[in-house]
Amino acid sequence: MVATRILAIDLATVGAAAWTAGELGGLDTLHFDLRARAGLTLKKRAAGHGAIFAQLHTLVLDLIDLTKPEVVAIEKDTGRGYGTLVMLGGLRGVAELACAQRGVRCITDIDASTARSLAGVGGGSTSKAVAGGRARMLFGLTTQTDDEVDAVVLHHAVRARLLDEHRQALVKASLAKVKRTPSTRRRAA
């Protein structure tokens, strides 16, 4: 069975989440600013990493409890400078911890370019602005922030990946049945 409840998180100090809502598979989104949630000013952000991590941990646990996902996807960050990569690595680790504490599968290996490609809004050299415009048109998004659009794109990408995993499992199971089925050919004497 393919997972139908997905929580996708565009992870950053200022980021967003998108999740499957309702029986018809609609999406809800949430934009968040961890720095503001931690009560930090922009200048004190570096000194407040622990408070930001604590806010993220609480936020992810709350989102998992609210949305009851079968899968949580956290976008893999591949760019920017060393300090940003270290911070995002810490954020990803905290989010993965929250998933493990709730016993939810966590996917962390889809970067923005792959997400755009899997979601059908671009890929490779497609700029974020172009992909965001395509996503807004394709998915009917009107008021979401760029972060929320990124989370929606990641959500659709994960859905496509999970469908592919399901198809591959079906093919593998079918091949295994064929190998176990005795041959009906007669052997030459």
Side-chain angles (χ1 to χ4, degrees), residues 2 14 52 63 94 127 141-142 155 164:
V2 179
V14 176
I52 290 171
L63 284 171
V94 169
S127 73
L141 308 175
T142 54
H155 186 281
D164 187 55

Side-chain angles (χ1 to χ4, degrees), residues 22-176:
E23 297 299 317
L24 299 177
L27 295 180
D28 278 341
T29 61
L30 170 74
H31 188 260
F32 57 82
D33 181 342
L34 298 172
R35 178 188 44 81
R37 289 173 66 106
L40 301 172
T41 64
L42 189 57
K43 291 180 182 179
K44 294 194 177 195
R45 184 175 61 194
H49 285 173
I52 290 171
F53 292 160
Q55 287 299 316
L56 176 65
H57 186 256
T58 300
L59 175 66
V60 174
L61 289 175
D62 289 348
L63 284 171
I64 289 172
D65 291 344
L66 171 72
T67 64
K68 310 252 185 288
E70 296 163 284
V71 175
V72 174
I74 301 166
E75 187 177 82
K76 177 182 178 182
D77 191 75
T78 56
R80 302 184 215 131
Y82 175 77
T84 301
L85 286 175
V86 169
M87 177 65 171
L88 290 172
L91 291 172
R92 188 169 52 250
V94 169
E96 287 185 62
L97 172 65
C99 292
Q101 288 174 327
R102 291 296 191 258
V104 179
R105 177 182 175 193
C106 187
I107 296 174
T108 61
D109 63 345
I110 300 176
D111 61 31
S113 179
T114 303
R116 291 176 195 140
S117 179
L118 288 171
V121 296
S125 63
T126 306
S127 73
K128 183 174 181 167
V130 170
R134 288 179 185 167
R136 282 182 167 88
M137 287 188 332
L138 182 63
F139 305 131
L141 308 175
T142 54
T143 60
Q144 279 83 359
T145 66
D146 287 346
D147 294 320
E148 288 172 295
V149 171
D150 290 347
V152 168
V153 167
L154 179 61
H155 186 281
H156 284 282
V158 169
R159 180 174 284 161
R161 176 177 164 173
L162 293 173
L163 285 170
D164 187 55
E165 286 177 1
H166 182 68
R167 278 190 290 266
Q168 288 178 18
L170 290 175
V171 168
K172 187 175 181 179
S174 295
L175 291 174

